[in-house]
Amino acid sequence: MQNYIKNPYEIEKRSFEIITEELGEKTFPEDIGKVVKRVIHTTADFQFADITIINEGAIDRAKKAILDGKNIYTDTKMALSGINKRRLAEYGGKVLNFVSDDDVAKKAKEEGITRSIVAMRKAVEENPDGIFVIGNAPTALFELIKQINEGKARPSLVVGVPVGFVGAAESKEELLKVDVPYILTRGRKGGSNVAAAIINAILYMID
């Protein structure tokens, strides 16, 4: 068996070196580059360098929100699991997900809609200017956009990276039209792991 790197820090360091090398002449402003490279590190998919869109000021506003102790609301338990909760807690914030709450399940069944929609409504009611992280459910992103357009939500950041074939690309195109800080991936690609990677990249930028 050939020698291989065993130290986790060295593995990550070398991974990012390889990503930078393979990106070649494709470069980004420093903070944006950290987000894009961590997504590529998570997925091993260099297409994210072309489809990741970050609007002006989004990262700085996200950092401020984290430092102010804002909570993060996710559309899935998987995204919640992937976010560095210990690091977030250092600034007073928590990661929350309401999809499995009994009241959410009951309301979704009564209205014949997804639990992701109801969970997003509950998150907005609890904290309209929180950080919203959507990596799986386009219905959650559509609902959040509706809440923003109605003046009920004023997100500090929206991470909109739902994955899939029904509504995922369309929901992200709608997010592009909204005047809020956002980070999104155009098209079908995304996922809870991508959503968590984006938040972690921002957390790791804060000293």
Side-chain angles (χ1 to χ4, degrees):
M1 183 182 291
Q2 65 179 9
N3 290 330
Y4 59 94
I5 302 172
K6 303 178 181 68
N7 184 290
Y9 302 104
E10 288 298 318
I11 292 170
E12 181 168 294
K13 178 174 178 289
R14 181 57 188 141
S15 294
F16 278 92
E17 289 172 351
I18 292 169
I19 290 166
T20 301
E21 291 166 8
E22 295 198 15
L23 282 171
E25 296 181 358
K26 192 171 189 63
T27 59
F28 305 88
E30 184 178 3
D31 283 0
I32 292 174
K34 287 178 178 178
V35 171
V36 172
K37 289 177 183 179
R38 187 156 291 279
V39 171
I40 294 171
H41 177 258
T42 298
T43 61
D45 186 343
F46 280 84
Q47 191 178 1
F48 282 102
D50 299 314
I51 66 174
T52 301
I53 308 295
I54 303 174
N55 68 348
E56 186 175 356
I59 293 174
D60 286 340
R61 289 179 66 178
K63 288 179 187 176
K64 183 180 185 306
I66 290 168
L67 288 169
D68 288 344
K70 297 292 184 186
N71 289 337
I72 294 174
Y73 299 87
T74 69
D75 67 324
T76 62
K77 295 287 188 182
M78 187 180 296
L80 180 149
S81 297
I83 292 171
N84 190 326
K85 289 170 283 297
R86 179 192 60 77
R87 178 68 70 92
L88 183 65
E90 292 175 7
Y91 310 110
K94 297 182 291 185
V95 187
L96 301 168
N97 177 271
F98 298 140
V99 168
S100 297
D101 289 5
D102 290 341
D103 59 329
V104 168
K106 181 174 182 290
K107 187 75 170 175
K109 186 174 182 180
E110 287 174 353
E111 295 191 22
I113 57 177
T114 70
R115 288 188 294 171
S116 296
I117 292 174
V118 181
M120 194 53 55
R121 290 175 184 169
K122 184 174 180 176
V124 168
E125 287 174 7
E126 177 174 296
N127 193 351
D129 59 350
I131 296 171
F132 298 89
V133 178
I134 299 167
N136 185 71
T139 57
L141 185 52
F142 278 125
E143 179 62 28
L144 179 59
I145 293 167
K146 178 175 178 285
Q147 298 279 334
I148 293 166
N149 288 334
E150 291 176 355
K152 297 176 182 176
R154 305 175 300 277
S156 298
L157 175 70
V158 178
V159 174
V161 293
V163 62
F165 299 97
V166 180
E170 293 84 353
S171 66
K172 290 178 275 191
E173 291 302 311
E174 289 302 309
L175 180 57
L176 284 168
K177 304 173 185 177
V178 180
D179 185 20
V180 296
Y182 59 70
I183 300 175
L184 60 86
T185 54
R186 300 189 86 162
R188 296 171 171 175
K189 289 188 176 182
S192 295
N193 59 333
V194 172
I198 290 168
I199 291 297
N200 287 337
I202 296 170
L203 282 169
Y204 301 151
M205 292 181 208
I206 302 172
D207 294 325

